Amino acid sequence: GESVGLHLPTLSVQEGDNSIINCAYSNSASDYFIWYKQESGKGPQFIIDIRSNMDKRQGQRVTVLLNKTVKHLSLQIAATQPGDSAVYFCAEADSGTYKYIFGTGTRLKVLA
Amino acid sequence: KAGVTQTPRYLIKTRGQQVTLSCSPISGHRSVSWYQQTPGQGLQFLFEYFSETQRNKGNFPGRFSGRQFSNSRSEMNVSTLELGDSALYLCASSKTLAGGETQYFGPGTRLLVL
C-alpha cells in the first residue's frame, strides 16, 4: 500500500532572527540529549548535546535548553543564516539501556 | 580525523535480490549503529554492534541483518528485497555503546528497490 509521508513541522525564520526549535522527549529515564542537523542528501550532523545534570548548554550560535520536569528540549540558533536551513532532529538516549530515540524532526527555512 | 564512511553511496536493486552495505566508523570508535530513514517513517533504528556483538536491535524483520568485524567496520545485509526497503541507510559510530555517547553519522547509502 501507499505509505503516508511524515508531516514535518516547518519553522520559517527571517535571516538574522533567532530560531527556536522545540522537542518533546518520551523516556523519563533518558539522561543524554543531542541535536542533529540534516541537510538534503546528507547524513545527520552533530550540533550540540546536553546531559541531564544540566539545564542549559551553549555552543557557537547555538544553545540547548533542557526542562526535565516537562520532558522538553529546545534548540536556539542565534542570528539565523541561510546555511542553517535544514531538518533538525532531537535525540534522547538512556545510558542505562543504551537506547537512542530520534524525534521526527523540524524543518527550518531561512527567508532572505 | 576521518569521519564515518559508507559504501556504496547509491544502489539500485530489484525485488527479491539481496544487498550488502558497508560502514567504516571513526577511528577509535567501537560501536556502530544502523538506521533506516524514509519520508514515511523518519529515522528508525535497525541495530547496534559493539565489539563484534549485536547489543541492541530495533523492530525490523529478520531479512535485515548485520555484523561487525574486529576492526569495528560493519556491514548490514538485506535479503529478499521489497519495494518498501527503498530508503536512506545511515550508519553512526560512537566510542562506546550509544546511549551515553555521541553518535556521528555517515553520509548514508541510498537504496532504490525496483
Side-chain angles (χ1 to χ4, degrees):
Chain A
E2 191 177 84
S3 63
V4 177
L6 264 181
H7 172 67
L8 284 184
T10 298
L11 175 66
S12 296
V13 175
Q14 208 67 37
E15 182 180 355
D17 286 352
N18 297 335
S19 303
I20 300 177
I21 301 171
N22 296 304
C23 177
Y25 66 92
S26 56
N27 183 6
S28 300
S30 292
D31 54 4
Y32 180 53
F33 305 87
I34 314 97
W35 280 99
Y36 289 92
K37 171 188 180 183
Q38 187 174 24
E39 297 174 278
S40 182
K42 297 183 180 180
Q45 174 191 355
F46 170 83
I47 303 173
I48 192 167
D49 59 0
I50 188 167
R51 299 208 180 260
S52 58
N53 61 350
M54 302 173 71
D55 52 24
K56 180 179 179 179
R57 190 159 188 233
Q58 288 184 287
Q60 189 176 18
R61 278 202 310 119
V62 294
T63 301
V64 55
L65 298 177
L66 174 63
N67 185 330
K68 294 181 287 295
T69 304
V70 295
K71 293 194 286 187
H72 184 267
L73 194 65
S74 69
L75 176 71
Q76 300 178 2
I77 305 174
T80 313
Q81 302 168 358
D84 295 328
S85 292
V87 174
Y88 289 81
F89 292 96
C90 67
E92 55 177 304
D94 177 353
S95 59
T97 60
Y98 303 110
K99 292 202 170 170
Y100 247 75
I101 302 171
F102 282 86
T104 53
T106 296
R107 188 179 305 280
L108 176 66
K109 285 187 178 178
V110 181
L111 309 171
Chain B
K1 193 185 265 191
V4 178
T5 59
Q6 292 186 245
T7 58
R9 291 294 312 280
Y10 304 93
L11 208 47
I12 300 176
K13 292 285 188 178
T14 55
R15 277 181 299 175
Q17 286 188 308
Q18 70 147 19
V19 67
T20 299
L21 311 181
S22 181
C23 172
S24 292
I26 292 171
S27 177
H29 285 195
R30 295 170 62 196
S31 169
V32 173
S33 296
W34 288 91
Y35 294 85
Q36 182 195 67
Q37 187 176 39
T38 61
Q41 299 293 326
L43 202 64
Q44 292 197 290
F45 172 72
L46 280 154
F47 28 65
E48 178 180 15
Y49 284 87
F50 179 78
S51 293
E52 301 176 65
T53 304
Q54 188 180 91
R55 301 299 180 119
N56 274 305
K57 190 177 188 308
N59 297 321
F60 277 82
R63 300 186 296 109
F64 292 81
S65 62
R67 59 177 176 167
Q68 187 180 33
F69 302 95
S70 58
N71 62 358
S72 295
R73 191 177 70 83
S74 177
E75 288 181 347
M76 69 162 277
N77 185 76
V78 188
S79 62
T80 320
L81 283 165
E82 300 176 0
L83 296 179
D85 296 333
S86 294
L88 180 67
Y89 289 88
L90 293 159
C91 98
S93 76
S94 55
K95 288 181 184 175
T96 62
L97 282 166
E101 290 284 335
T102 306
Q103 291 188 75
Y104 295 92
F105 283 84
T109 293
R110 188 164 294 282
L111 172 65
L112 178 61
V113 181
L114 302 175

